Structure formats: structure tokens, C-alpha cells
Amino acid sequence: MGSNSLAQRDIASVMHPYTNLKKHLDVGPVVITHGDGVYLYGADGSALLDGAAGQWCSSLGYGKANERIAKVAHDALIDLPYSHIFRHQTHRSVIELSERLLALAPVPMSKVMLQCSGSEANDTAVKMAWYYWASRDQPQRRKMISRMGSYHGSTCASLSLTGNTDYYRGFGLPLPGFLKVSGLNHYRSGLPGESEDEFSTRLARELEDLIQAEGPDTIAAFFADPVQGNAGALPPPRGYFEKVQKILRKYEILFVADEVICGFGRVGEWWGSQRYGLEPDIITAAKGLSSAMQPISAVIVNEKVFSGIAAESDKLGSFIHGFTYAGHPVTTAVTNEVLKIYEERDIVGHVQSLEPQFLGILDSFRDHPMIGNVSGVGLLGGLEMVMDRADKTAFPKTFGLAPKIEAAARRHGVLIRVIADRLVFAPPLVITPDELAILAAGARKALDDVHATL
Ligand SMILES: Cc1ncc(COP(=O)(O)O)c(C=O)c1O
């Protein structure tokens, strides 16, 4: 089947997420046929080094190297192609995966509830927080606080947690009681002469002011991703989480760490929580959890939260929440195998060994006339692009920075993402030093191409 006919069939049948659907009818799709290592291959014969690991998730890369996982999926499909975990029923691989996640958790945790996507995991965490506070005779604690710039998902509650007003348009969201505080871009939002530490103090004060204005006994939980991935890979400013956690503890607000991007090695530790000293009550995880080979996410809760939810479920007769495919036996078997491979290959150690080179690459872009700032950790980094470095002038929306950079990068054989004026790197964690250098060279050529048009 030629690429043209696939493209035509796509236009005739497929509706794509986060896509201008009308424009898609004119421009058509980019057809990917297969992958190998860190490369994806297009139907037009192009080979593209995937600098975004798909959607920050294909940690083990593509192709033959994953044959062992394919065998596990094959066997699981024959042994037990489906079995639900509703109403006390269970199976071996869901138990093994839950045990494995509890053993890996960055802080002592009590139970794991599996879902099928990051959005579902965050929606579940919202409902769990409501149950928890109801069990503590504080049902009025319903409000959620999250941060501008953070993406938490696409379902109604997780989108309400998401701090991006563009995403609410047309949906009448966010839901009431989903409050926001500022994001973490010190380069953009820091005051003149303000240190990172002072910036963190100001952000923490903003959080406390909001809690006091709303009434501490109305706030259920605070959601944060350790590194703000969808704000363009922004690590927290110095001292941020220390100050924020002090406030959360003071007002007994539950802390939900959204580890959907950061978990499973991306930031050079198993968890972002380890890297930044987070002590969450609830962790949500997805993406790298299964190297995106199966749709799975996890909500991991501590004993305090679990015992509250358990008491409430007893009172109401059940924890009335769940999805048909949650804890799917094929999905959990594959995920168990992926996690075994992470350990065998010491994927976290591999990321740690690459981090100095990766941070060096990010630093090397500081000389580029379009780059105003760089930041990164592990194998997650971003370059802030500006029209004018002297006064940090941002590109106007009409310039179309993201499509221009992404298309130029493609011409130079690399896939990168541009989010909110930031060029983001999140390659598969199995990338080699040579491949990192190829990725950096492709990104630089893309920047040069676009700069030459200014
Ligand atoms: C930090 C974070 N949380 C949640 C999500 C939502 O995950 P999903 O797309 O699997 O629903 C994403 C997706 O990019 C994410 O980056």
C-alpha cells in the first residue's frame, strides 16, 4: 500500500487529537510505517530521530530490540486475553505490577490503582481526594490547586487541572473550584534581579495567599508535575518544592505528584519526586511506565489516603470508580516486562551517565541568536526561543514558530517538539551519546533555517 493511499484513507476516516481538523483535510497526515532504535521511518522514505520519544513516552525506543516484550504480550493474549479487576476479582500480573510499583515508589506507599491513561489517573486522583476528605468529615474540601503551564490531561477534570487557558476554549472549562497559581518560568516571570530562591519564595507566598483567601478548609489537594513538561520542560526553581510542601503540610492539603512524564528515569532518577525531595500523598504515573507499549497508568496512594478511601467506600458500599480495561492482563504483563528491562539495563544509570553530555548540549545553544534561556535535567530539556535576546521579545503567535521549527527539524532528520516558545528535547532513554549529538545538530540546523528567515 503506497503512502498516498494511506494518507487519503486517513483523511477520509481518522479524527486526530490536538489537531486543526479542517486543516488536516487539506494538508493530510505524516504517515509513520515503523521504528527501529531511536528512529521512526515515514512512508515517504524519511528516517527521523525521535527527539520527543513520541509523546515523552517511548523510553525503550522502537523495533526488534523489544522482541522479548512482544513475546510476553503474545503469551498473555493466549493465557488470559482479558480479565477485569472489579468486585474483588484479580489475576497474577496485576498483583505483580502493583507490588513492583510499591517497591519502586519514592516514599512509603500503600496501594496501587491502575487506569489506562494519564488523564484517567489524574481524574481518579481528584475523586480519591474528594472521597478522602469526605471520610475525614470535611466534605467541603473540594477545591483543587494546580499551576499555570502544567498539563494534566484531556478529560474534564484533568483538563480543569491543566493550566493553559487556550485548552479551555470551547468547552466551558475549567470546572468550578479548580484554582491556579503561577508556573515556574524564572526567565520569563522572575522580577529584575530576583534570584531563583526569591522567585520560589514569591511563588510559595502566592500559594499561601490563595489558600487563605479561599479558606484552607475548602482545599482538597495540590497537583504538581516535578518538572513542568508541557510548559516546555521547566525544572522547579531552587527551593520551590521545599517551600511549597511546608505550606501544604501547614494546611493539611493533599499533595498529588503528577509523575506522568518524570517517572521511570526521565529525570535521572526513578521519580521526579526523588530528584526534588517531594513527599506526595498520591502519585500519578503513565507514559514511561510501559514505555508506551501498552496504554496504562497508575495511581499510587499512601496509607493515610487509602484508609480514608477505604472507610468511605465501606460507608457507601463501594469505591464507585473504575474502567473496563484497568489492570488489563496483557497490559500489566507487558508493563511488568518493561520494568524488568529498565532494571536489567539500569536505565536510570544510563540517563545519569548521559546527563552531563545532555546538559552540555543545552548549554551549547546559549550562543544561538534565537535562544534566550535553556534548562533541563536528566534527558528532559528545553530551549526558550526569542525574537530578540536583549529584551526577551517573544515571537508573535502569527509567526507560527512551532510549525516552522518542527518542519525544519524534520527536513534535517530529527523530530522535536515546540511548546510555548520552547524547543523541547525528551528522547528515548536508550539513546546513545552519538545519537544525542545527531539530535543536537539537527535542532541547531532547524534554528539556523528559521533564523535565516527573520
Ligand atoms: C504531566 C502529564 N500529566 C498527564 C498527562 C495526560 O496523559 P494522557 O495523555 O495519557 O491522558 C500528560 C500527557 O502529556 C502529561 O504530560
PDB file of all heavy atoms in Angstrom, residues 56 117-120 122 151-154 225 230 258 260-261 286-287, ligand 1:
ATOM      1  N   TRP A  56       6.781  11.946  24.878  1.00  0.00           N
ATOM      2  CA  TRP A  56       7.597  11.802  26.097  1.00  0.00           C
ATOM      3  C   TRP A  56       7.457  10.398  26.685  1.00  0.00           C
ATOM      4  O   TRP A  56       7.428  10.243  27.906  1.00  0.00           O
ATOM      5  CB  TRP A  56       7.205  12.759  27.210  1.00  0.00           C
ATOM      6  CG  TRP A  56       6.483  14.021  26.921  1.00  0.00           C
ATOM      7  CD1 TRP A  56       5.192  14.168  26.539  1.00  0.00           C
ATOM      8  CD2 TRP A  56       7.006  15.358  27.043  1.00  0.00           C
ATOM      9  NE1 TRP A  56       4.877  15.485  26.417  1.00  0.00           N
ATOM     10  CE2 TRP A  56       5.963  16.242  26.722  1.00  0.00           C
ATOM     11  CE3 TRP A  56       8.251  15.870  27.399  1.00  0.00           C
ATOM     12  CZ2 TRP A  56       6.115  17.624  26.739  1.00  0.00           C
ATOM     13  CZ3 TRP A  56       8.389  17.237  27.420  1.00  0.00           C
ATOM     14  CH2 TRP A  56       7.339  18.086  27.095  1.00  0.00           C
ATOM     15  N   SER A 117      -4.764   5.759  31.150  1.00  0.00           N
ATOM     16  CA  SER A 117      -4.100   6.957  30.617  1.00  0.00           C
ATOM     17  C   SER A 117      -3.760   7.901  31.758  1.00  0.00           C
ATOM     18  O   SER A 117      -4.312   7.784  32.865  1.00  0.00           O
ATOM     19  CB  SER A 117      -5.022   7.692  29.637  1.00  0.00           C
ATOM     20  OG  SER A 117      -6.096   8.282  30.347  1.00  0.00           O
ATOM     21  N   GLY A 118      -2.871   8.843  31.448  1.00  0.00           N
ATOM     22  CA  GLY A 118      -2.508   9.846  32.448  1.00  0.00           C
ATOM     23  C   GLY A 118      -3.711  10.676  32.865  1.00  0.00           C
ATOM     24  O   GLY A 118      -3.863  11.027  34.038  1.00  0.00           O
ATOM     25  N   SER A 119      -4.564  11.001  31.894  1.00  0.00           N
ATOM     26  CA  SER A 119      -5.765  11.798  32.208  1.00  0.00           C
ATOM     27  C   SER A 119      -6.645  11.050  33.209  1.00  0.00           C
ATOM     28  O   SER A 119      -7.135  11.632  34.184  1.00  0.00           O
ATOM     29  CB  SER A 119      -6.585  12.051  30.939  1.00  0.00           C
ATOM     30  OG  SER A 119      -5.825  12.717  29.974  1.00  0.00           O
ATOM     31  N   GLU A 120      -6.856   9.779  32.955  1.00  0.00           N
ATOM     32  CA  GLU A 120      -7.693   8.984  33.867  1.00  0.00           C
ATOM     33  C   GLU A 120      -7.062   8.922  35.253  1.00  0.00           C
ATOM     34  O   GLU A 120      -7.762   8.952  36.264  1.00  0.00           O
ATOM     35  CB  GLU A 120      -7.874   7.568  33.326  1.00  0.00           C
ATOM     36  CG  GLU A 120      -8.786   7.492  32.126  1.00  0.00           C
ATOM     37  CD  GLU A 120      -8.799   6.104  31.508  1.00  0.00           C
ATOM     38  OE1 GLU A 120      -8.435   5.119  32.172  1.00  0.00           O
ATOM     39  OE2 GLU A 120      -9.170   6.009  30.329  1.00  0.00           O
ATOM     40  N   ASN A 122      -5.203  11.165  36.694  1.00  0.00           N
ATOM     41  CA  ASN A 122      -5.420  12.427  37.415  1.00  0.00           C
ATOM     42  C   ASN A 122      -6.879  12.621  37.791  1.00  0.00           C
ATOM     43  O   ASN A 122      -7.184  13.133  38.874  1.00  0.00           O
ATOM     44  CB  ASN A 122      -4.873  13.598  36.591  1.00  0.00           C
ATOM     45  CG  ASN A 122      -3.351  13.647  36.663  1.00  0.00           C
ATOM     46  OD1 ASN A 122      -2.765  13.372  37.712  1.00  0.00           O
ATOM     47  ND2 ASN A 122      -2.706  13.964  35.557  1.00  0.00           N
ATOM     48  N   TYR A 151       0.363  20.560  32.293  1.00  0.00           N
ATOM     49  CA  TYR A 151      -0.669  19.787  31.597  1.00  0.00           C
ATOM     50  C   TYR A 151      -0.951  18.555  32.439  1.00  0.00           C
ATOM     51  O   TYR A 151      -0.025  17.846  32.842  1.00  0.00           O
ATOM     52  CB  TYR A 151      -0.171  19.372  30.209  1.00  0.00           C
ATOM     53  CG  TYR A 151      -1.193  18.598  29.407  1.00  0.00           C
ATOM     54  CD1 TYR A 151      -2.266  19.249  28.801  1.00  0.00           C
ATOM     55  CD2 TYR A 151      -1.088  17.223  29.244  1.00  0.00           C
ATOM     56  CE1 TYR A 151      -3.210  18.547  28.068  1.00  0.00           C
ATOM     57  CE2 TYR A 151      -2.022  16.509  28.503  1.00  0.00           C
ATOM     58  CZ  TYR A 151      -3.084  17.179  27.918  1.00  0.00           C
ATOM     59  OH  TYR A 151      -4.018  16.485  27.185  1.00  0.00           O
ATOM     60  N   HIS A 152      -2.245  18.310  32.700  1.00  0.00           N
ATOM     61  CA  HIS A 152      -2.587  17.127  33.487  1.00  0.00           C
ATOM     62  C   HIS A 152      -3.552  16.206  32.754  1.00  0.00           C
ATOM     63  O   HIS A 152      -3.966  15.195  33.315  1.00  0.00           O
ATOM     64  CB  HIS A 152      -3.181  17.538  34.836  1.00  0.00           C
ATOM     65  CG  HIS A 152      -2.205  18.256  35.737  1.00  0.00           C
ATOM     66  ND1 HIS A 152      -1.115  17.627  36.303  1.00  0.00           N
ATOM     67  CD2 HIS A 152      -2.130  19.549  36.136  1.00  0.00           C
ATOM     68  CE1 HIS A 152      -0.424  18.503  37.039  1.00  0.00           C
ATOM     69  NE2 HIS A 152      -1.012  19.667  36.945  1.00  0.00           N
ATOM     70  N   GLY A 153      -3.949  16.574  31.519  1.00  0.00           N
ATOM     71  CA  GLY A 153      -4.777  15.653  30.767  1.00  0.00           C
ATOM     72  C   GLY A 153      -5.916  16.328  30.040  1.00  0.00           C
ATOM     73  O   GLY A 153      -6.077  17.554  30.072  1.00  0.00           O
ATOM     74  N   SER A 154      -6.720  15.500  29.398  1.00  0.00           N
ATOM     75  CA  SER A 154      -7.702  15.964  28.428  1.00  0.00           C
ATOM     76  C   SER A 154      -9.148  15.702  28.858  1.00  0.00           C
ATOM     77  O   SER A 154     -10.072  16.230  28.245  1.00  0.00           O
ATOM     78  CB  SER A 154      -7.414  15.231  27.114  1.00  0.00           C
ATOM     79  OG  SER A 154      -7.847  15.967  26.033  1.00  0.00           O
ATOM     80  N   ASP A 225       3.454  18.645  38.634  1.00  0.00           N
ATOM     81  CA  ASP A 225       4.429  17.759  37.988  1.00  0.00           C
ATOM     82  C   ASP A 225       5.825  18.236  38.402  1.00  0.00           C
ATOM     83  O   ASP A 225       6.098  19.450  38.378  1.00  0.00           O
ATOM     84  CB  ASP A 225       4.263  17.731  36.465  1.00  0.00           C
ATOM     85  CG  ASP A 225       3.872  19.069  35.852  1.00  0.00           C
ATOM     86  OD1 ASP A 225       3.611  20.027  36.598  1.00  0.00           O
ATOM     87  OD2 ASP A 225       3.860  19.162  34.604  1.00  0.00           O
ATOM     88  N   ASN A 230       4.950  20.209  29.970  1.00  0.00           N
ATOM     89  CA  ASN A 230       4.233  20.893  28.899  1.00  0.00           C
ATOM     90  C   ASN A 230       4.358  22.405  28.954  1.00  0.00           C
ATOM     91  O   ASN A 230       3.840  23.095  28.078  1.00  0.00           O
ATOM     92  CB  ASN A 230       2.773  20.445  28.882  1.00  0.00           C
ATOM     93  CG  ASN A 230       2.658  19.072  28.233  1.00  0.00           C
ATOM     94  OD1 ASN A 230       2.628  18.956  27.025  1.00  0.00           O
ATOM     95  ND2 ASN A 230       2.663  18.019  29.058  1.00  0.00           N
ATOM     96  N   ASP A 258       2.212  14.592  39.899  1.00  0.00           N
ATOM     97  CA  ASP A 258       1.927  14.057  38.570  1.00  0.00           C
ATOM     98  C   ASP A 258       3.270  13.673  37.949  1.00  0.00           C
ATOM     99  O   ASP A 258       4.007  14.519  37.442  1.00  0.00           O
ATOM    100  CB  ASP A 258       1.200  15.114  37.732  1.00  0.00           C
ATOM    101  CG  ASP A 258       0.899  14.631  36.315  1.00  0.00           C
ATOM    102  OD1 ASP A 258       1.560  13.692  35.845  1.00  0.00           O
ATOM    103  OD2 ASP A 258       0.014  15.214  35.669  1.00  0.00           O
ATOM    104  N   VAL A 260       3.650  11.678  35.426  1.00  0.00           N
ATOM    105  CA  VAL A 260       3.342  11.055  34.129  1.00  0.00           C
ATOM    106  C   VAL A 260       4.523  11.183  33.162  1.00  0.00           C
ATOM    107  O   VAL A 260       4.857  10.237  32.446  1.00  0.00           O
ATOM    108  CB  VAL A 260       2.034  11.651  33.552  1.00  0.00           C
ATOM    109  CG1 VAL A 260       1.845  11.286  32.097  1.00  0.00           C
ATOM    110  CG2 VAL A 260       0.839  11.158  34.367  1.00  0.00           C
ATOM    111  N   ILE A 261       5.180  12.333  33.146  1.00  0.00           N
ATOM    112  CA  ILE A 261       6.384  12.479  32.315  1.00  0.00           C
ATOM    113  C   ILE A 261       7.645  12.110  33.096  1.00  0.00           C
ATOM    114  O   ILE A 261       8.535  11.433  32.584  1.00  0.00           O
ATOM    115  CB  ILE A 261       6.510  13.935  31.791  1.00  0.00           C
ATOM    116  CG1 ILE A 261       5.482  14.194  30.684  1.00  0.00           C
ATOM    117  CG2 ILE A 261       7.921  14.214  31.270  1.00  0.00           C
ATOM    118  CD1 ILE A 261       5.504  15.609  30.113  1.00  0.00           C
ATOM    119  N   ALA A 286       2.312   7.310  34.184  1.00  0.00           N
ATOM    120  CA  ALA A 286       1.868   6.718  32.909  1.00  0.00           C
ATOM    121  C   ALA A 286       3.075   6.724  31.966  1.00  0.00           C
ATOM    122  O   ALA A 286       4.210   6.563  32.420  1.00  0.00           O
ATOM    123  CB  ALA A 286       0.687   7.497  32.326  1.00  0.00           C
ATOM    124  N   LYS A 287       2.864   6.920  30.702  1.00  0.00           N
ATOM    125  CA  LYS A 287       3.907   7.077  29.684  1.00  0.00           C
ATOM    126  C   LYS A 287       5.050   6.068  29.842  1.00  0.00           C
ATOM    127  O   LYS A 287       4.936   4.917  29.456  1.00  0.00           O
ATOM    128  CB  LYS A 287       4.413   8.521  29.674  1.00  0.00           C
ATOM    129  CG  LYS A 287       3.319   9.509  29.276  1.00  0.00           C
ATOM    130  CD  LYS A 287       3.864  10.860  28.960  1.00  0.00           C
ATOM    131  CE  LYS A 287       2.777  11.903  28.760  1.00  0.00           C
ATOM    132  NZ  LYS A 287       2.223  11.966  27.436  1.00  0.00           N
TER     133      LYS A 287
HETATM  134  C1  LIG B   1       2.307  15.616  33.094  1.00  0.00           C
HETATM  135  C2  LIG B   1       1.193  14.962  32.339  1.00  0.00           C
HETATM  136  N1  LIG B   1       0.118  14.536  33.017  1.00  0.00           N
HETATM  137  C3  LIG B   1      -0.917  13.933  32.395  1.00  0.00           C
HETATM  138  C4  LIG B   1      -0.911  13.744  31.032  1.00  0.00           C
HETATM  139  C5  LIG B   1      -2.094  13.101  30.361  1.00  0.00           C
HETATM  140  O1  LIG B   1      -1.750  11.826  29.939  1.00  0.00           O
HETATM  141  P1  LIG B   1      -2.621  11.078  28.795  1.00  0.00           P
HETATM  142  O2  LIG B   1      -2.362  11.788  27.517  1.00  0.00           O
HETATM  143  O3  LIG B   1      -2.085   9.668  28.833  1.00  0.00           O
HETATM  144  O4  LIG B   1      -4.037  11.133  29.209  1.00  0.00           O
HETATM  145  C6  LIG B   1       0.185  14.160  30.292  1.00  0.00           C
HETATM  146  C7  LIG B   1       0.226  13.973  28.826  1.00  0.00           C
HETATM  147  O5  LIG B   1       1.058  14.500  28.122  1.00  0.00           O
HETATM  148  C8  LIG B   1       1.265  14.802  30.954  1.00  0.00           C
HETATM  149  O6  LIG B   1       2.322  15.246  30.286  1.00  0.00           O
END
